[in-house]
Amino acid sequence: MPEDKTTPPRPDVRSPWVIDTRTLARRPGASREVRRDVPVDTELGVPGVVSVRKGASVELDLLLESVVEGVLVTGRAYAPTAGQCSRCLDPISDEVELDLTELFAYPASATEETTDSDEVSRLVDDLVDLEPIVRDALVLALPLVPLCAEDCAGLCSECGGKWADLEPNHGHESIDPRWAALVERFDESPADGPDGKA
Ligand SMILES: [Zn+2]
Ligand SMILES: [Zn+2]
């Protein structure tokens, strides 16, 4: 068999994202549950907008199943998020949750031979490296426009006050400042005007 140049490097077994599937591999039908909390060492997402911060944990709740072509990983990942409401700019904290389904193909399996490693993940020495998959999926699952509440009214465009904190009848004279001086003069003029009462 020709050397496959696309074989990814061997995952680092010390990484908390890496799962050893030796007890499962090549035994179709066998399965194993894996639950673990993986610390985030690089902030994921858009800092200041919405992200999973460094030091937070990604909780993984997974089922690994041995299938003919490799090991199928399904399950969920959860992580706390922090950011800023894009309307009122209040700090927000939330949670992101996502479903995972990923096949890690055996070397020399039909799947491996007919796909690229960036299309279908590979088992390397029976090791599953969840990091790239979970990181990418988490970033995609983050909201594009984070909000403190779906109906957040945001800020008054005139004074920047938060609508939620302003009086119900809050408003501003909608007079262009360039006209304000003229209006002031006009207000003074009736006394001397043609129909002034003085
Ligand atoms: Zn808000
Ligand atoms: Zn205002």
Side-chain angles (χ1 to χ4, degrees), residues 84-92 146-155 162 164:
Q84 190 182 50
C85 175
S86 51
R87 289 189 198 145
C88 72
L89 311 181
D90 271 3
I92 48 178
L147 295 174
C148 64
E150 279 304 315
D151 60 352
C152 173
L155 305 176
K162 207 173 127 189

Side-chain angles (χ1 to χ4, degrees), residues 8 13 25-26 29 33 37-38 56 58 83-84 88 103 120 123 131 134 146 151 158-159 163-164 166 170 184:
V13 285
R26 315 283 175 185
E33 285 182 5
D37 289 332
V38 181
V58 178
Q84 190 182 50
C88 72
L103 173 68
V120 178
L123 274 176
E131 183 168 17
V134 175
D151 60 352
E158 292 283 322
C159 65
W163 280 113
L166 296 170
H170 176 80
E184 246 169 62

Side-chain angles (χ1 to χ4, degrees), residues 40 42-54 80-86 92 96 135-136 138-146:
V40 172
T42 313
E43 188 167 14
L44 298 172
V46 186
V49 178
V50 64
S51 64
V52 179
R53 296 215 168 132
K54 184 178 171 176
T81 60
Q84 190 182 50
C85 175
S86 51
I92 48 178
V96 63
R135 292 177 76 97
D136 290 356
L138 276 176
V139 169
L140 286 175
L142 293 173
L144 288 173
V145 180

Side-chain angles (χ1 to χ4, degrees), residues 1-21:
M1 194 181 57
E3 190 77 40
D4 184 355
K5 293 189 207 77
T6 65
T7 299
R10 187 176 195 274
D12 182 352
V13 285
R14 292 164 304 176
S15 163
W17 295 102
V18 173
I19 300 172
D20 189 338
T21 68

